[in-house]
Amino acid sequence: MNSKDIKLCPVTANHIKIALVGQPNVGKSMLINSISNAHLHVGNFSGVTVDKTEVLFDYKDYHFTVVDLPGTYAFTDYTIEERVTHKYLCTEDYDLIINVIDSTNLAKNLQLTSELMSMNKNIVIALNMSDEAQKEGIAIDAQYMSQLLGIPCIKVSAHTKLGVDTLIEAIVSQYENEEQESKLIFSEPVEEEIAQIVWYLDKHKFGDKSSYRSTAINLLKNNKEIYQKIHDNPIWIELQPILIESLHHIELHHDSDDIKEAFAEEYASFNRGIVAEVLREEKKSPQKTLSEKIDDVLIHPFLGIPIFLFLMWSLFQLTFNVGSIPMEWIDAFFAWLGGTVGATISNDDIRSLIVDGVIAGVGSVVLFVPNIMILFIGIALLESTGYMSRVSYLLDGFFHKFGLHGQSFIPLVTGFGCSIPAYMSARILKNDKDRLLTLFIISFMSCGARLPIYVLFAGAFFSPEFAGNILFLIYLSGALLGLASAKLLKLTAFKGSDEPFVMEMPKYRLPSLKLIWHTVFSKTMMYLKKAGTFIAAAAMLVWFLSNYPHNDALTQVYHSQIYQAQTLTQKKDLENKLSEELLEQSYLGDIGKFMEPAFTPLGFDWKMTVALHAGLAAKEVIVSTLGVLYSLGADVNENNNSLVEAISEQIPFASAMAFIVFIMIYLPCLAASIVFTREAGHIKYFFYLFVFTTVTAYLFSFIVYNLLVILG
């Protein structure tokens, strides 16, 4: 395609809005990204977390807007993607549908095509992966297929850009022509019932005459939107008994009491006829294909899971080892920015708010961008190569025992690094219940921000040779507890029979660098928008609670003592003591003391309670908060010997272990909680998560504390 034909320019008079539809793994996104100089707009569909990608480009005298709808096998309303796609096609304004089909799997893809044809919309079919089909000895007569369906069928290849210009010409031609009646034909008994309903609708002049057949088909299929549209109309009184009789005749003809099953047979029969007419396939040699040879290794009964675990371990190492390099640069930049901005502000309160609150808070979010980008690159590679479906196949059996889906493994493993990308990666789960259940369990996977706390307490109570084993035990305990909690939730809040799920095994394909970059860039920007817009407010709130109310009299007394101190050590000790007393008298300290009686059964004093509450904003804050509370300053870390000694001396062993258990289970940081709420789809799920994690953390901490006290 010539770059002079496709370009970006102001909107022209001829605007064509296209809905891009297809089953998963047919190359929709890659096809639309193959158009030169296309401009991408990424957001969300209203009210849901499903990505909405719009592609804008101009071709000759036409301006195109292409909405890439989520992949769906059929209009069953099983997954949120299916509901979004179906709702958009039924309710939104667009000029034409591009139905992308995998040419190597024509029969299965026509299932969605036949349902689209029943909507009586203007359609163009893109027979994608035509180059792969040719290599496999599959020949599709596109011209004859166009005649049979009454729909233009164009052979294309998103990988080689073969036929893309022809496809756009066909779209323009179809747009300029009048809409044609679909050639979707059912069996004689069904056609008789459709004709009767069409006659009745025509008799009463209900709606647009060109949509009578589509309305009749959807009425027979029990389409809720069509029923709602007609139910309040006076014709419903006469139409209802006609529909009841028609449905009875169709079910009787198919020997079934399920009208969905009857229409599924009708569609399948129509599709078989199309395939028989247009598809010619060379006899396959007994030699295995490349995909089959790779599968012999990657989904081997014994080698498959170890290989996958190694790949995930490698991705995990890349995410947090390679990602740590730019993290140091980002951390240094925000430290420099805070120092530079702080030097220009004379007012202590405003300087502390801007530097310690806003800049430090936003920096804590931006800090994880390298990790998230590396992680999303890895996940995008797994998805685009076709390996993700193999992951589901490998792990579905084991995870199913705990009520989880095989694909839950990806967000759960991601949760060991950071809960924010883990919550976002749960989008790979298509079913609502599977996704929600996984979202609730992610918090049991100890994120990287909890590691400094574990290191601190392990070093305080265990010798160095045992500390590593203790850390492993903590992480393993959290994962096992998460699986047990998933089973409990599956039997209670998410109870019900498991829905069927199609685990497709697409062919292995080389990833598209352009598509991967688009995926990674769009998801990273969504992370920054979601977390970054709220973290500044959260940081300001924590700053306010920990810095107010001021105690000027106490501050003056300590400043006088600091001024008279003889050594730097004495001055530092006095500054730390001042920070401790100011924090104790702050609103955050008041909250800790107020809540102390509730945590006394767990062996927590007010200082530990304050640290827990500070950890709601960010788990990393717990170590520095303990440093302030034990008069050691806020700049201590988990390796500070003075803090280790203070904790080992002032916190009983049983209380420390209960504290670790509570940290391991309770609510993730504020930024992660906000992302969880967005991904779950409603604020009520945040309160459910808060109650569930708090009660579970309290219960297990109580058990651990009292058990250790009894054991002495």
Side-chain angles (χ1 to χ4, degrees):
M1 184 180 300
N2 296 326
S3 58
K4 64 181 182 180
D5 291 333
I6 294 183
K7 57 184 185 294
L8 288 173
C9 61
V11 178
T12 58
N14 297 318
H15 179 226
I16 304 178
K17 188 170 186 179
I18 298 170
L20 189 66
V21 186
Q23 293 186 349
N25 301 309
V26 298
K28 286 191 300 93
S29 300
M30 188 174 180
L31 174 63
I32 205 62
N33 279 308
S34 66
I35 298 175
S36 303
N37 300 323
H39 186 58
L40 304 174
H41 282 214
V42 182
N44 279 357
F45 286 93
S46 177
V48 295
T49 57
V50 177
D51 289 348
K52 178 182 181 181
T53 302
E54 290 189 352
V55 182
L56 310 177
F57 66 93
D58 286 345
Y59 178 73
K60 296 183 178 179
D61 295 329
Y62 291 90
H63 177 76
F64 288 83
T65 299
V66 182
V67 181
D68 187 1
L69 296 174
T72 174
Y73 290 102
F75 297 145
T76 59
D77 284 355
Y78 165 58
T79 68
I80 189 172
E81 283 77 10
E82 289 175 358
R83 291 197 294 273
V84 167
T85 298
H86 195 191
K87 181 180 179 181
Y88 185 93
L89 293 175
C90 292
T91 62
E92 297 293 332
D93 292 327
Y94 54 91
D95 300 303
L96 188 138
I97 295 173
I98 297 180
N99 177 209
V100 183
I101 288 179
D102 179 358
S103 297
T104 66
N105 207 345
L106 182 62
K108 184 174 75 68
N109 279 240
L110 283 176
Q111 177 185 0
L112 178 61
T113 304
S114 54
E115 291 201 55
L116 291 172
M117 292 174 67
S118 67
M119 299 179 67
N120 198 38
K121 297 287 187 178
N122 213 0
I123 303 174
V124 173
I125 292 177
L127 295 167
N128 196 21
M129 306 177 193
S130 295
D131 52 337
E132 293 186 19
Q134 185 176 2
K135 292 178 183 178
E136 296 180 17
I138 298 173
I140 299 175
D141 190 338
Q143 185 175 358
Y144 188 33
M145 185 174 174
S146 301
Q147 296 175 6
L148 291 175
L149 298 178
I151 296 172
C153 300
I154 311 299
K155 288 185 177 182
V156 298
S157 171
H159 180 67
T160 64
K161 297 188 178 182
L162 171 71
V164 173
D165 50 350
T166 306
L167 175 64
I168 296 180
E169 291 286 358
I171 293 170
V172 172
S173 177
Q174 188 73 358
Y175 171 75
E176 292 175 344
N177 296 331
E178 294 183 2
E179 294 184 12
Q180 299 178 354
E181 185 72 24
S182 169
K183 291 188 178 181
L184 176 65
I185 303 298
F186 298 105
S187 63
E188 187 176 347
V190 176
E191 286 294 336
E192 288 178 358
E193 304 305 331
I194 292 174
Q196 184 177 2
I197 297 173
V198 168
W199 171 84
Y200 182 82
L201 294 174
D202 186 32
K203 174 184 174 183
H204 292 275
K205 307 300 180 186
F206 181 80
D208 184 4
K209 185 175 182 179
S210 63
S211 66
Y212 288 163
R213 179 177 173 85
S214 176
T215 302
I217 293 172
N218 284 298
L219 282 171
L220 291 172
K221 291 171 59 181
N222 291 330
N223 182 281
K224 293 181 180 179
E225 288 78 11
I226 297 298
Y227 269 83
Q228 290 173 354
K229 181 179 179 181
I230 297 182
H231 188 271
D232 296 332
N233 194 287
I235 70 168
W236 175 250
I237 299 174
E238 296 181 24
L239 182 59
Q240 186 178 22
I242 297 175
L243 276 173
I244 294 174
E245 187 66 21
S246 296
L247 291 170
H248 176 70
H249 286 169
I250 294 174
E251 291 171 354
L252 188 65
H253 172 75
H254 285 274
D255 193 21
S256 171
D257 57 357
D258 187 347
I259 194 65
K260 290 184 178 180
E261 181 180 328
F263 267 94
E265 291 180 9
E266 292 285 338
Y267 286 132
S269 178
F270 175 80
N271 295 338
R272 282 194 297 270
I274 297 297
V275 171
E277 292 291 335
V278 304
L279 182 67
R280 296 293 178 268
E281 190 171 4
E282 295 179 5
K283 291 184 178 180
K284 293 183 178 180
S285 63
Q287 187 177 3
K288 290 184 177 180
T289 64
L290 180 60
S291 290
E292 291 172 337
K293 291 178 181 178
I294 297 175
D295 278 341
D296 286 343
V297 178
L298 293 184
I299 59 175
H300 189 275
F302 301 108
L303 299 177
I305 291 181
I307 290 173
F308 173 67
L309 292 176
F310 173 75
L311 291 174
M312 291 308 304
W313 176 83
S314 301
L315 176 59
F316 188 82
Q317 292 297 318
L318 284 172
T319 301
F320 297 100
N321 288 334
V322 178
S324 64
I325 299 174
M327 283 180 71
E328 295 176 0
W329 303 337
I330 296 173
D331 193 30
F333 168 76
F334 277 95
W336 168 83
L337 180 64
T340 303
V341 173
T344 64
I345 303 174
S346 58
N347 185 282
D348 292 339
D349 286 344
I350 297 177
R351 181 175 62 252
S352 179
L353 170 63
I354 299 299
V355 176
D356 301 328
V358 178
I359 294 178
V362 174
S364 67
V365 174
V366 179
L367 193 66
F368 288 102
V369 168
N371 305 82
I372 289 173
M373 292 188 70
I374 295 172
L375 189 67
F376 282 148
I377 288 173
I379 293 176
L381 284 171
L382 289 175
E383 291 178 332
S384 60
T385 56
Y387 185 60
M388 188 68 78
S389 297
R390 275 78 180 174
V391 174
S392 300
Y393 174 78
L394 284 170
L395 299 174
D396 189 64
F398 173 76
F399 273 68
H400 185 76
K401 296 177 182 179
F402 297 95
L404 293 167
H405 192 277
Q407 287 181 314
S408 300
F409 186 81
I410 301 296
L412 292 181
V413 170
T414 305
F416 285 117
C418 178
S419 297
I420 292 175
Y423 287 134
M424 296 176 69
S425 64
R427 293 183 178 187
I428 63 176
L429 294 154
K430 304 304 180 185
N431 178 259
D432 292 345
K433 284 188 176 181
D434 290 336
R435 185 172 61 257
L436 276 174
L437 180 56
T438 302
L439 288 172
F440 271 83
I441 303 305
I442 286 173
S443 60
F444 287 90
M445 310 298 123
S446 294
C447 65
R450 291 170 176 164
L451 180 60
I453 310 168
Y454 298 155
V455 171
L456 174 65
F457 278 79
F461 293 96
F462 297 94
S463 60
E465 58 267 23
F466 287 106
N469 295 330
I470 295 300
L471 287 176
F472 176 75
L473 182 62
I474 291 172
Y475 277 88
L476 181 62
S477 300
L480 293 176
L481 185 59
L483 292 176
S485 300
K487 185 66 175 179
L488 176 64
L489 289 173
K490 185 66 175 179
L491 295 174
T492 54
F494 298 99
K495 64 182 178 180
S497 58
D498 293 332
E499 297 283 352
F501 183 77
V502 178
M503 283 191 294
E504 184 184 5
M505 293 291 189
K507 297 178 179 64
Y508 288 103
R509 295 186 177 91
L510 292 175
S512 165
L513 295 180
K514 184 178 179 181
L515 182 58
I516 288 177
W517 167 247
H518 160 61
T519 302
V520 172
F521 178 78
S522 62
K523 289 188 175 182
T524 302
M525 292 306 298
M526 289 178 69
Y527 159 75
L528 288 174
K529 290 176 182 177
K530 287 185 175 183
T533 52
F534 293 95
I535 194 64
M540 291 170 65
L541 176 62
V542 173
W543 172 87
F544 175 79
L545 292 175
S546 59
N547 284 274
Y548 283 88
H550 286 319
N551 189 329
D552 295 332
L554 179 66
T555 302
Q556 289 179 2
V557 170
Y558 268 95
H559 280 173
S560 177
Q561 295 178 9
I562 293 171
Y563 178 77
Q564 298 175 11
Q566 300 297 319
T567 64
L568 291 176
T569 302
Q570 291 177 343
K571 290 184 178 181
K572 187 66 176 178
D573 290 342
L574 288 169
E575 289 174 354
N576 293 339
K577 188 66 177 177
L578 172 61
S579 298
E580 176 189 354
E581 293 195 23
L582 288 176
L583 183 58
E584 181 179 354
Q585 297 178 20
S586 69
Y587 293 126
L588 191 61
D590 292 340
I591 293 173
K593 289 184 176 181
F594 176 77
M595 296 296 295
E596 184 180 10
F599 289 91
T600 300
L602 310 183
F604 299 172
D605 59 12
W606 76 268
K607 294 181 179 180
M608 299 170 72
T609 306
V610 166
L612 281 178
H613 285 81
L616 290 173
K619 295 295 180 284
E620 303 94 326
V621 178
I622 291 178
V623 173
S624 60
T625 302
L626 289 172
V628 172
L629 292 171
Y630 288 110
S631 303
L632 299 173
D635 56 346
V636 299
N637 57 39
E638 65 274 16
N639 298 314
N640 185 281
N641 291 327
S642 299
L643 182 57
V644 170
E645 291 176 5
I647 287 176
S648 62
E649 291 173 1
Q650 300 190 39
I651 300 179
F653 178 77
S655 300
M657 295 304 101
F659 187 74
I660 286 297
V661 171
F662 205 98
I663 294 292
M664 184 175 67
I665 300 173
Y666 86 128
L667 200 69
C669 67
L670 184 59
S673 298
I674 292 169
V675 175
F676 166 86
T677 305
R678 291 292 188 89
E679 296 299 317
H682 199 283
I683 187 65
K684 68 179 181 182
Y685 292 113
F686 167 76
F687 293 107
Y688 294 159
L689 180 69
F690 175 79
V691 172
F692 176 65
T693 55
T694 303
V695 170
T696 306
Y698 195 97
L699 176 63
F700 279 92
S701 297
F702 178 83
I703 293 173
V704 168
Y705 173 72
N706 287 277
L707 184 62
L708 290 176
V709 169
I710 293 172
L711 294 175

